[in-house]
Amino acid sequence: MPQQGSLRATRMELMQFKTRLKTATRGHKLLKDKQDGLIRSFLDLVKKNRELREEVEVELVKALKNFLMARAVMSPDIIEESLIYPARSIDIKVTTRNIMSVNVPKITLKEKEKSKGLSYGLATTSAELDDAIKVMGDVLPKLLELAEIEKTCQLLADEIEKTRRRVNALEYVMIPQLEENIRFINMKLEENERANTARLMKVKEIIAK
């Protein structure tokens, strides 16, 4: 932004500054609307994240308790042998979706083949181990959704901060400076107009004499 001492007090310069002010004002409104939309989306996701995290923590605590109970009644070798083969085969696909011009992750879980139940026999295992494995299988989709939401919240928070800085730069720096330059040029043009009027009146007086 040029300093006032270097401004040219011309009508062309005035028109250019008015055009820039109009553009900056429109850009400020668009960015402010974007910021408000980002904040609304962010707050909705934060609420959902908190609720889902509470659900996941309850399920994980339940699974951990069952594993501890299983370890108390089963030997480590039997537990390792029971868990060495996976009961399910899944694909995890990560794509993106757009929220207010921000690309955020979309995680999709797909089971390769229908689960056939547990991957081990029930003769040497405890019911607690069965329950723990079932809980962990059930909680996996929620864990992936939680990871998706938390990453989305992080990306939205970063974008909110960048947008806020741009809004503030326009609102508190660029727009006030443009308005000040317009006032300065208007003042100079008015001064020039008064000076020209005074000169014309002086010329008329000289001619009249």
Side-chain angles (χ1 to χ4, degrees):
M1 191 70 65
Q3 298 297 318
Q4 289 182 350
S6 64
L7 292 177
R8 294 175 299 164
T10 64
R11 298 199 178 278
M12 180 63 72
E13 189 88 343
L14 181 62
M15 287 177 60
Q16 289 176 353
F17 275 113
K18 285 184 175 180
T19 300
R20 290 174 64 183
L21 177 60
K22 186 177 180 180
T23 301
T25 303
R26 184 164 59 247
H28 175 267
K29 182 182 184 307
L30 291 173
L31 284 172
K32 195 71 169 63
D33 290 344
K34 177 183 178 180
Q35 178 181 267
D36 293 342
L38 285 168
I39 290 173
R40 283 194 297 271
S41 298
F42 177 77
L43 292 177
D44 289 342
L45 284 170
V46 166
K47 180 181 177 182
K48 186 176 181 181
N49 180 78
R50 182 171 59 250
E51 293 171 351
L52 186 59
R53 176 173 284 278
E54 290 174 356
E55 292 179 21
V56 167
E57 287 177 351
V58 168
E59 295 297 313
L60 290 178
V61 168
K62 181 179 177 182
L64 179 60
K65 287 181 179 179
N66 283 326
F67 270 124
L68 291 175
M69 290 295 295
R71 286 183 61 185
V73 296
M74 295 172 59
S75 69
D77 291 340
I78 293 178
I79 291 177
E80 182 178 354
E81 182 181 339
S82 300
L83 302 179
I84 197 168
Y85 296 109
R88 303 166 66 184
S89 180
I90 61 172
D91 272 332
I92 297 176
K93 183 178 181 181
V94 181
T95 55
T96 60
R97 60 191 180 98
N98 191 284
I99 299 179
M100 302 293 293
S101 302
V102 182
N103 288 325
V104 300
K106 176 66 179 175
I107 303 176
T108 306
L109 183 149
K110 183 178 180 182
E111 199 159 0
K112 289 184 179 179
E113 57 185 44
K114 192 172 182 181
S115 174
K116 299 177 181 178
L118 299 173
S119 60
Y120 55 83
L122 302 178
T124 58
T125 59
S126 68
E128 289 81 8
L129 181 63
D130 303 342
D131 291 341
I133 291 174
K134 182 179 185 306
V135 170
M136 291 299 295
D138 293 341
V139 83
L140 178 59
K142 292 182 180 180
L143 280 170
L144 294 176
E145 185 182 1
L146 186 62
E148 175 189 308
I149 292 174
E150 291 192 346
K151 184 61 177 178
T152 299
C153 286
Q154 177 190 336
L155 292 171
L156 290 183
D158 292 343
E159 188 66 20
I160 288 170
E161 179 60 24
K162 286 191 291 185
T163 305
R164 184 188 65 80
R165 288 198 297 266
R166 294 170 67 188
V167 167
N168 288 345
L170 285 169
E171 184 172 346
Y172 299 111
V173 180
M174 180 174 282
I175 290 176
Q177 185 64 59
L178 288 170
E179 290 173 341
E180 182 61 29
N181 288 342
I182 289 170
R183 281 194 296 269
F184 177 80
I185 293 175
N186 274 325
M187 181 185 68
K188 285 296 184 181
L189 289 174
E190 289 171 1
E191 287 178 0
N192 293 341
E193 189 173 343
R194 285 194 297 269
N196 288 334
T197 302
R199 281 194 296 270
L200 287 173
M201 291 176 66
K202 188 68 175 176
V203 169
K204 285 182 180 180
E205 288 178 7
I206 293 172
I207 293 173
K209 289 179 180 180

